[in-house]
Amino acid sequence: MLRNLSMNIAQSWISTQVQDHVWVVPTFQSIHILAIAALVFASFSVDVAILRSPAGARAIPWLGSSYRWTWTALAVLLVSGAILITGEPARSLMNLFFRIKVVLVLVGAALTLVLQRSLTGEGRSSLSNSALVALAALSIPVWVAILFCGRFIAYFGDLAG
Amino acid sequence: MTSFFVWLESTPLAVAIAESRWMFPTFEVLHVFGLALVVGSIAAFDLRTLGLAWPSRRLETLVREILPWTWSGFVLAVVTGLLLFLSSAATYIENRVFLAKMALLLLAGLNVLLFHFHPHHHRFTVEGQVSPVLRASAAVSLTLWTAIVVLGRWIGYSLTVG
């Protein structure tokens, strides 16, 4: 199914546009990296604050800003990532590390949402301090693993045969 | 001069990186991670200085908080960058995009020095004052680091395409 999807995308007008203009891929890869930088700083800031003091993290005044940056960066990553996939669909969709990356992005986003709701939303007291620490400690390696998977797509995991 | 870089890429470590299937990609990921820490932390400071983001983070505490991020990211990016450079030193040293990236890194470093030695620096860190020069420095910093990321990505394409 994914093989057919990648073939259909490769034949689309937008895919040929991306392939025909040599500047598009490196430009969107650069935007992708800038968004990763924003996400890493915004997300890790909260995670490290939780690991230092889970009780104190609930009172951090910049939590709202941090989560705005995290979600904005994630949106930019999704849009720029979609454009990059459009240019070379088989390279992404038919790659083991791309598939692992997609799963990890969903896990990272879910962790962010749970932590955000627990720290700033109505469910402020829904998670214990030890649960907050566990989720924050999990969030950091998940984002690092996403970074590894994203770069490894270029080198390993080709499933196209 | 060129022979020095040819010698560099013939050293056992350089050959090991060039011939290994996993070393170059791994160092590349770690380089991007280091760069993300540097750019993310510096951009947060620059945007806060310009009044565009993180309004509830006090500037003076933000400076203290981001420094470990910036320096650890910088060390990681430099070490892995050197290892990546070693693998094809003679090629990189003649690549204009790579040289432009190095020039911008130098300018970004000078910009940081300007910030640290600026006469308003102490007032700024103690009282949260932001002088026009520091705002200009933040704008220059944001531009330089964005360009460094773009050029860094273009190096790969300039080696294979151009």
Side-chain angles (χ1 to χ4, degrees), chain A residues 120-137:
Chain A
T120 64
E122 290 171 2
R124 191 177 278 247
S125 58
S126 62
L127 283 178
S128 65
N129 285 346
S130 53
L132 278 178
V133 169
L135 293 183

Side-chain angles (χ1 to χ4, degrees), chain A residues 35-98:
Chain A
I36 288 169
L39 185 139
V40 162
F41 181 74
S43 178
F44 284 20
S45 288
V46 177
D47 291 335
V48 169
I50 292 170
L51 293 175
R52 280 186 181 150
S53 166
R58 297 178 199 273
I60 292 171
W62 43 264
L63 275 176
S65 303
S66 186
Y67 282 116
R68 264 195 303 281
W69 276 98
T70 302
W71 290 114
T72 306
L74 255 177
V76 174
L77 284 170
L78 287 177
V79 172
S80 54
I83 291 168
L84 292 170
I85 292 167
T86 307
E88 293 176 287
R91 180 175 178 263
S92 306
L93 299 177
M94 299 307 295
N95 186 285
L96 176 65
F97 284 100
F98 172 79

Side-chain angles (χ1 to χ4, degrees), chain A residues 22-23 25-26 29-30 33-34 36-38 40-42 44-45 48 61-62 65-66 69 144 147-148 151-152 155-156, chain B residues 21-22 24-26 28-30 33 36-37 39-41 44 47 53-57 66 69 146 149-150 153-154 157:
Chain A
V22 74
W23 57 269
V25 172
Q29 282 180 338
S30 302
I33 294 173
L34 288 169
I36 288 169
V40 162
F41 181 74
F44 284 20
S45 288
V48 169
W62 43 264
S65 303
S66 186
W69 276 98
V144 174
L147 204 63
F148 267 87
R151 206 60 216 120
F152 277 9
Y155 297 95
F156 312 114
Chain B
R21 194 160 175 259
W22 60 268
F24 193 93
T26 304
E28 203 176 25
V29 178
L30 293 173
F33 182 50
L37 287 175
V39 175
S41 58
L47 290 168
W54 304 95
S56 47
R57 287 187 92 154
I66 68 162
W69 299 76
T146 303
V149 168
V150 173
R153 202 70 280 278
W154 266 99
Y157 289 89

